[in-house]
Amino acid sequence: MSKDGLILPKDFPQLLNDTFLRAARGEETEHVPVWCMRQAGRYLPEFRETRAGKDFFETCRSPETCCELTLQPLRRFAFDAAIIFSDILVVPQAMGMDVQMVPGKGPTFPEPLKEPEDLQRLQTKVDVGKELGYVFKAITLTRHKIEGKVPLIGFTGAPWTLMSYMIEGGGSNTHSKAKRWLYRHPESSHMLLRMLTDVIVEYLLGQVAAGAQALQVFESHAGILGPVEFKEFSLPYLRDIAHRVKDKLKEAGQDVPMIVFAKDAHYGVEDLSQSNYEVVGLDWTIDPRSARERTGGKVSLQGNMDPCALYAPKEQISDIVKRMLEGFGTRGYIANLGHGLYPDMDPENVGAFVEAVHQHSKQMIKQM
Ligand code: CP3
């Protein structure tokens, strides 16, 4: 971004496959586009080799390595989109928190937020260009190296999901420390959520300026909230992010589809479809037909095969995919899993999933 806030175009290779972008906007396509959350991940031997012996967040700070990891799955599978290799927890780091990835344990904050006074430890005015410039560099480099094969997706964690990590200090089953804040310190909770929203808006705009062609917001911990808490502590911030990012992009004459993925937020599907996101991502606990009915054709849908269905034999994967396509229909639909790939998954079955989406959807569209 230039000093006056304008987003400058860069000389990127021409996009050769825009199926994903068209589906996001509800336009016609020749096949249903497909990508997988965590497609750049440990299920790939080449990923494990590139990551071997290196600290996770050091890897995130190397644009060249992020670029290589992002491109690896595209060399094996006919994915219709790539997602930049990074992590949602780089945002709390940019706000001054220490986060480490402990092998076998996952993300760990040695000094999580305990009481509202701890908010004073956080950086309120974050210079995203300085603190997260390494992500922007990775995006720009990848956008060049991808040679226009498919669009590149940028992403962020949503405020509630990041807040819960910052208070829990890592993964948790109950999220009771973070939820305690919502009930005991609602004002400080809103203050933290607002602080996160401000950084996230700048971060997403920086990703677009660097070359991201779509944006996904991960509200991975939506399911731990009930409908009332979701409406108070998650939805307003998800909406604020979409509105502010879109307003700024409009000023710059840019149109970048946004995806909201609020995992396990069944009760929120109607609201999410009226939140200024082009696409609502779904986990596997929602029936495709009912999701279509409840969102009334207002948005495109993304998802939602149970990741564990990839443990099934290949022929069965093909049947499951066919049923999923019939449920969602082929228009305004992006095939994906209901959550990320697991490290023990067989790359061959991932390939079978991608093939099945392309093959069945081509046939269905031809027969229309
Ligand atoms: O391919 C892609 O999807 C792009 C890269 C990506 C990663 N993390 C790489 C990663 C994305 C989009 C994320 C987002 C992310 N990170 C989320 C939101 C999505 C979701 O899963 O709900 C969350 C909650 C995180 C936090 C996080 N980072 C967790 C829980 C873990 C797993 C820890 C573990 O030990 O399993 C990570 C680490 C991580 N991020 C890995 C990858 C490929 C695996 C660790 C490694 O490579 O060493």
Side-chain angles (χ1 to χ4, degrees):
M1 221 179 294
S2 67
K3 282 204 187 75
D4 53 4
L6 287 176
I7 290 161
L8 302 170
K10 292 208 178 66
D11 205 7
F12 292 125
Q14 195 198 337
L15 183 59
L16 305 170
N17 171 5
D18 67 348
T19 313
F20 165 83
L21 296 178
R22 277 188 281 140
R25 299 194 178 102
E27 297 166 12
E28 251 179 65
T29 58
E30 294 75 48
H31 66 262
V32 165
V34 53
W35 66 283
C36 288
M37 290 187 271
R38 288 276 164 90
Q39 65 190 33
R42 283 171 292 184
Y43 74 105
L44 289 177
E46 58 271 35
F47 177 97
R48 295 195 297 270
E49 197 177 307
T50 308
R51 284 267 306 106
K54 295 187 197 101
D55 174 70
F56 179 78
F57 287 110
E58 278 307 314
T59 305
C60 289
R61 283 186 207 104
S62 158
E64 290 74 22
T65 313
C66 291
C67 174
E68 166 59 20
L69 293 171
T70 304
L71 297 179
Q72 282 177 348
L74 302 183
R75 295 189 189 116
R76 278 184 186 252
F77 314 115
F79 284 130
D80 294 283
I83 182 162
I84 190 68
F85 176 85
S86 186
D87 201 84
I88 61 169
L89 299 176
V90 299
V91 167
Q93 285 178 334
M95 294 171 82
M97 292 190 82
D98 184 12
V99 190
Q100 290 152 19
M101 195 61 72
V102 180
K105 188 170 169 218
T108 305
F109 292 64
E111 291 175 85
L113 304 175
K114 290 205 170 76
E115 295 297 330
E117 299 80 73
D118 293 333
L119 293 183
Q120 288 161 20
R121 282 169 29 206
L122 297 178
Q123 210 71 43
T124 43
K125 290 264 174 288
V126 177
D127 180 345
V128 293
K130 183 163 157 269
E131 300 298 333
L132 294 163
Y134 61 89
V135 180
F136 304 155
K137 279 194 186 138
I139 288 174
T140 303
L141 179 66
T142 306
R143 180 76 191 274
H144 279 288
K145 288 265 175 88
I146 217 167
E147 295 171 331
K149 284 192 187 89
V150 292
L152 179 61
I153 307 170
F155 70 89
T156 182
W160 158 246
T161 296
L162 295 180
M163 169 179 169
S164 74
Y165 270 113
M166 289 158 85
I167 295 172
E168 294 293 335
S172 158
N173 287 331
T174 59
H175 297 260
S176 57
K177 292 192 184 103
K179 288 183 75 182
R180 173 179 168 272
W181 271 53
L182 303 184
Y183 291 101
R184 182 173 279 222
H185 311 299
E187 276 173 30
S188 302
S189 296
H190 281 296
M191 190 190 289
L192 174 53
L193 291 165
R194 271 197 303 274
M195 285 166 73
L196 283 159
T197 299
D198 289 345
V199 181
I200 287 166
V201 167
E202 291 304 311
Y203 182 44
L204 289 177
L205 288 168
Q207 293 188 45
V208 173
Q213 290 152 294
L215 298 168
Q216 176 153 323
V217 179
F218 286 92
E219 188 70 292
S220 303
H221 296 171
I224 203 76
L225 299 172
V228 175
E229 291 69 38
F230 177 76
K231 266 193 164 58
E232 181 174 354
F233 296 104
S234 169
L235 188 64
Y237 299 97
L238 292 171
R239 286 184 166 159
D240 197 28
I241 289 167
H243 279 105
R244 286 164 65 185
V245 169
K246 287 200 180 283
D247 281 352
K248 272 271 183 239
L249 291 178
K250 222 187 206 163
E251 277 172 34
Q254 271 180 304
D255 174 21
V256 172
M258 294 181 72
I259 308 165
V260 61
F261 174 62
K263 190 170 175 290
D264 295 324
H266 325 260
Y267 48 76
V269 167
E270 284 90 346
D271 281 333
L272 289 166
S273 72
Q274 297 164 35
S275 296
N276 222 10
Y277 289 84
E278 281 79 0
V279 185
V280 174
L282 303 168
D283 64 81
W284 64 92
T285 61
I286 302 180
D287 172 67
R289 279 195 176 80
S290 88
R292 272 292 183 217
E293 276 165 28
R294 291 169 58 195
T295 54
K298 283 194 267 302
V299 284
S300 292
L301 296 175
Q302 175 177 280
N304 75 340
M305 191 174 87
D306 181 354
C308 293
L310 289 178
Y311 295 125
K314 286 189 204 131
E315 313 73 58
Q316 204 180 324
I317 293 175
S318 173
D319 291 343
I320 295 169
V321 165
K322 187 155 180 276
R323 232 180 302 136
M324 178 170 77
L325 286 162
E326 287 164 355
F328 281 111
T330 53
R331 184 82 179 253
Y333 174 49
I334 298 161
N336 203 315
L337 304 173
H339 202 197
L341 286 159
Y342 303 141
D344 68 347
M345 279 170 171
D346 186 345
E348 272 202 36
N349 288 19
V350 176
F353 171 67
V354 174
E355 284 303 304
V357 171
H358 283 169
Q359 200 196 332
H360 290 306
S361 64
K362 267 183 205 157
Q363 249 167 17
M364 288 167 70
I365 291 169
K366 253 197 237 148
Q367 282 162 5
M368 279 192 334

